[in-house]
Amino acid sequence: MEPTLKLADQICFPVYAASRLIIRKYTPYLDELGLSYPQYLVMLVLWEEDQVPVSFIVQKLLLNTNTITPLLQRLEAMGMLTRKKSQHDERKVIVSLTAKGRKLKEQAATIPSEMAACLLSKEITAADLGMLVNKLNQLIATLNEEDAS
Amino acid sequence: MEPTLKLADQICFPVYAASRLIIRKYTPYLDELGLSYPQYLVMLVLWEEDQVPVSFIVQKLLLNTNTITPLLQRLEAMGMLTRKKSQHDERKVIVSLTAKGRKLKEQAATIPSEMAACLLSKEITAADLGMLVNKLNQLIATLNEEDAS
DNA sequence: GAATATTATATCGTGCGCGATATAATATTT
DNA sequence: AAATATTATATCGCGCACGATATAATATTC
């Protein structure tokens, strides 16, 4: 398929639109937790691994500190986490969940399966979704390694 | 694959991250045109069909007027388009390209193939991209029709 | 045809995303 | 060990996205 200036032909727009629509679909569930979508992503990272430097979250979410720092400051103000300078290297800031932040994981436990149900349809099976995740992760890897150079 | 609270397992994050990384990759090309990515999308719509109401662009890009109106105002200030009330229905605002806006299409003509080249790799073929576009469009259709209800 | 509902667009406030820049701490070089 | 470079995080400014609300024009109902 020769790429053209038509909206539907390009990969960029479907990915961009799907991202926004999926996030919209998450919103009612996340409202119950009092989290925005990016805040939810930060919590997902910390629920997997706690007491990590800011750089770890930056790397996982493929965002920069100019986005992550304000996000963490808001989550700190909400009482979900703490930010404290590392003793070994005072440049690093270690992010740790509070009890409240850890507790929230239980409340979030049902979200993934509820969301998966929202995305399935006659045209999109669970296998399709798995394949999509797979190919998108390869695409991300390609785009990300070029960045490093 | 049973959905879990792990970042990598869910569809949401890969789509979100891929969207941002693809847009980042567009940026140097769009800088030459003096356009942001959302502004580029508006121009893509108008290059396909000119003299359309705001609602047409809203529908094509799956955005709302609270995003589109300021976007159009900036593009108008840049001299790319004009906004004029419809004579038949004064609620509608008709968006039309200026000569400058039409002219920009020529300069943008090389972007799609340049971008496609950026996204291809050992792991991602042109056929993969085609399939991705296809499945994402189905996903968008599913998410969008539920909205309408 | 006056009252009400609907439609189309605009405005406002908040939280991202990100390029550019700043700052402070550690590493490296000389 | 003083000068320089690098690393880790933070700040600033601007343009999206979007929920909530406003406003004006047309349609519909009574």
Side-chain angles (χ1 to χ4, degrees), chain A residues 35-65:
Chain A
L35 296 177
S36 71
Y37 179 73
Q39 288 166 1
Y40 172 66
L41 293 182
V42 170
M43 296 305 283
L44 284 181
V45 170
L46 292 173
W47 287 332
E48 279 193 63
E49 189 163 350
D50 200 354
Q51 297 178 348
V52 293
V54 171
S55 59
F56 181 83
I57 301 172
V58 160
Q59 203 173 7
K60 282 282 183 185
L61 300 186
L62 305 176
L63 289 164
N64 297 315
T65 58

Side-chain angles (χ1 to χ4, degrees), chain A residues 16 20 24 53-55 65-66 69 73 83 91-93:
Chain A
Y16 161 79
R20 288 187 298 100
R24 277 187 208 169
V54 171
S55 59
T65 58
N66 50 9
T69 296
Q73 287 169 343
R83 295 155 65 237
R91 290 172 303 182
K92 292 186 183 174
V93 169

Side-chain angles (χ1 to χ4, degrees), chain B residues 2-149:
Chain B
E2 187 63 18
T4 69
L5 276 176
K6 294 201 172 183
L7 194 64
D9 291 354
Q10 304 193 36
I11 181 77
C12 65
F13 178 69
V15 176
Y16 163 78
S19 173
R20 287 186 300 98
L21 293 180
I22 292 172
I23 291 173
R24 277 187 207 169
K25 196 60 90 177
Y26 265 89
T27 303
Y29 301 105
L30 296 181
D31 280 349
E32 291 178 33
L33 308 187
L35 296 177
S36 71
Y37 179 73
Q39 287 167 0
Y40 172 67
L41 293 181
V42 171
M43 296 305 282
L44 283 181
V45 170
L46 292 173
W47 287 331
E48 279 193 63
E49 190 164 350
D50 200 355
Q51 296 181 347
V52 293
V54 171
S55 58
F56 181 83
I57 302 172
V58 160
Q59 204 173 6
K60 282 284 184 183
L61 300 186
L62 306 177
L63 289 164
N64 297 315
T65 58
N66 49 9
T67 300
I68 291 292
T69 297
L71 252 174
L72 293 175
Q73 287 169 343
R74 282 181 210 107
L75 285 168
E76 186 178 33
M78 291 162 62
M80 294 298 177
L81 52 80
T82 61
R83 295 155 66 239
K84 205 155 50 179
K85 287 204 171 184
S86 165
Q87 291 183 338
H88 307 297
D89 184 342
E90 293 226 329
R91 290 173 303 183
K92 292 186 183 173
V93 170
I94 304 300
V95 181
S96 307
L97 288 171
T98 60
K100 183 179 176 185
R102 277 189 298 275
K103 183 82 178 167
L104 200 67
K105 184 177 183 180
E106 302 166 20
Q107 214 182 326
T110 57
I111 292 182
S113 58
E114 288 171 323
M115 272 304 300
C118 284
L119 300 179
L120 297 176
S121 67
K122 267 163 284 178
E123 292 81 15
I124 305 275
T125 65
D128 286 331
L129 279 188
M131 184 272 302
L132 265 179
V133 170
N134 200 22
K135 282 295 168 192
L136 286 172
N137 279 327
Q138 289 174 356
L139 191 58
I140 289 166
T142 300
L143 289 167
N144 211 34
E145 75 189 10
E146 288 169 16
D147 256 18
S149 70

